[in-house]
Amino acid sequence: MCWRRGGNASNSCTVLALLGAQAEYMGTLARSHETNFLVSDFKACNVGIDHCVYLEDKQTPSSVIIVNSQNGSRTIVHSSRNLPEVTCEEFLRANILNGPYQWIHFEGRPNSPDIQKMLLEIDKHNRVHAKDECITSSVELEKCRPEFAQLLDKADYVFVSKEFAMMYKFSSKEEAVNGFNDQLRAGSVVICAWGETGAVAKVKDQPTVCSPSFPPCKVVDTLGAGDTFNAATIVSLTSGASLQDAITFGCKVAGAKCGISGFGGLEKYQMEICSDQ
C-alpha cells in the first residue's frame, strides 16, 4: 500500500516532466495534512506549482484504488470533498498568458463555464500576438458530462475519451472523431484513444490518422494510462512531430506505462523524442 499523487492534469504534468518538458501544474490545493506530501512530490518530479491557488478550510480530494495483480484493472472509491476548482479570475490574476508558456492543457472539470472563459482568453491573447508568441490550447473531455459539449469548439486540440464518445452512442474511435468533426472549429484537431485498439486523430475536415496500441508483456498498472497518452502526444507535437507520429508515440508510452507501477521509467522515452527531432 502506498500514497500516490493523482488527478488527470497532475499525472500528465508528471509524464511531461519525465519526457523532458518544462511542466507546471495550476490547480487548487487545500491547506490540509496532505499538502506537504503533494508539494514535495510535485517538486521531486520537477513539476512547477508556482501558480497554484491555496485554500483554507478545505479538504484534499482522495481516492482508494485497488489494483488487480492479475490483470492490472482497478477499482476506485473516490471522495471529492469540498475543494473548489480554479476560476477564470484566478487564472487571469496569475498572469499566465504573459508567461513563458507554449501550450496550456485543461482537464475537463465541473467548472466547464470557467474553462470555456479561460480558453477564450487564450484565443484573445493569440489574436494580438505574433505567431511565435501564440499559445496552443488543448482540453481533455473524459467524464460523461453533457456540459462538456460546449468545449468541443474552444481548443486547438480536443482529447475525447472512449467513455465520453460512448455517451454520444459512438461505438469506435473512428466513429467518434468523424462524429465530432462538425463541432470542431476550423483547423483544430480531435484525438480519441480507445484502450487496446489504439488511437485515432483528425484535423477538422481532413482524413483520419491512426495508431495501434503497444501493450506490455504483462499489464501491471493501468492507472494514469490515458493521462500518459495525452502528455506523450502533446510533448511529441511540441517537438514538431506529425499528428500521426505524435499519437503513435502517445500509444507507445501509454503502453509502456501499463507495464509498470506508477510512472518511474518513462523517462527513457525522452531519448526517442530527441532522436526524432
Side-chain angles (χ1 to χ4, degrees):
M1 183 174 178
C2 65
W3 278 92
R4 191 185 297 178
R5 171 172 51 83
N8 295 19
S10 169
N11 289 340
S12 289
C13 281
T14 298
V15 177
L16 285 167
L18 285 169
L19 295 177
Q22 289 183 290
E24 179 177 341
Y25 172 81
M26 183 183 182
T28 52
L29 293 176
R31 291 198 183 278
S32 58
H33 69 273
E34 300 95 345
T35 305
N36 287 341
F37 164 74
L38 295 173
V39 170
S40 297
D41 197 62
F42 274 122
K43 184 176 180 180
C45 293
N46 295 315
V47 175
I49 53 171
D50 290 348
H51 294 100
C52 280
V53 179
Y54 290 83
L55 299 172
E56 305 289 346
D57 302 319
K58 303 297 179 183
Q59 295 177 302
T60 299
S62 61
S63 299
V64 175
I65 303 167
I66 303 169
V67 179
N68 185 319
S69 61
Q70 299 301 311
N71 60 19
S73 67
R74 74 265 185 182
T75 300
I76 303 175
V77 180
H78 180 64
S79 173
S80 60
R81 302 189 180 180
N82 64 350
L83 187 66
E85 305 289 346
V86 171
T87 66
C88 185
E89 288 74 19
E90 289 163 337
F91 176 78
L92 293 174
R93 197 179 307 138
N95 203 26
I96 296 291
L97 299 178
N98 292 315
Y101 304 104
Q102 178 185 8
W103 191 302
I104 298 179
H105 176 71
F106 293 86
E107 173 192 347
R109 302 286 300 169
N111 62 331
S112 56
D114 273 293
I115 295 173
Q116 181 175 356
K117 291 177 185 176
M118 288 184 266
L119 286 165
L120 291 173
E121 289 293 337
I122 295 174
D123 288 345
K124 190 187 302 182
H125 167 90
N126 289 345
R127 283 196 294 270
V128 296
H129 285 79
K131 187 175 181 179
D132 61 353
E133 296 177 318
C134 287
I135 298 168
T136 301
S137 63
S138 61
V139 63
E140 176 198 27
L141 308 180
E142 181 197 30
K143 301 292 192 297
C144 295
R145 298 179 183 271
E147 63 269 25
F148 284 172
Q150 66 185 320
L151 301 175
L152 282 164
D153 64 345
K154 300 299 187 299
D156 299 318
Y157 290 84
V158 182
F159 291 84
V160 297
S161 71
K162 176 180 178 180
E163 292 73 20
F164 183 79
M166 290 178 70
M167 183 176 69
Y168 286 85
K169 310 302 182 186
F170 298 128
S171 59
S172 70
K173 57 189 183 298
E174 292 81 8
E175 279 188 19
V177 297
N178 285 310
F180 288 126
N181 176 80
D182 290 343
Q183 298 181 63
L184 302 177
R185 66 188 186 186
S188 65
V189 178
V190 60
I191 300 171
C192 182
W194 204 278
E196 64 277 2
T197 71
V200 68
K202 180 182 180 68
V203 179
K204 182 178 174 67
D205 297 331
Q206 298 295 317
T208 60
V209 296
C210 61
S211 168
S213 63
F214 295 85
C217 295
K218 176 179 169 57
V219 175
V220 174
D221 174 18
T222 60
L223 187 66
D227 309 328
T228 299
F229 170 81
N230 294 348
T233 299
I234 288 171
V235 79
S236 186
L237 287 167
T238 60
S239 74
S242 67
L243 185 59
Q244 169 76 74
D245 289 344
I247 64 168
T248 300
F249 182 70
C251 286
K252 187 178 295 185
V253 181
K257 184 270 155 295
C258 292
I260 59 177
S261 179
F263 303 103
L266 296 182
E267 59 270 20
K268 68 182 181 181
Y269 286 93
Q270 184 180 155
M271 296 304 297
E272 187 169 324
I273 298 172
C274 296
S275 65
D276 287 343
Q277 289 183 324

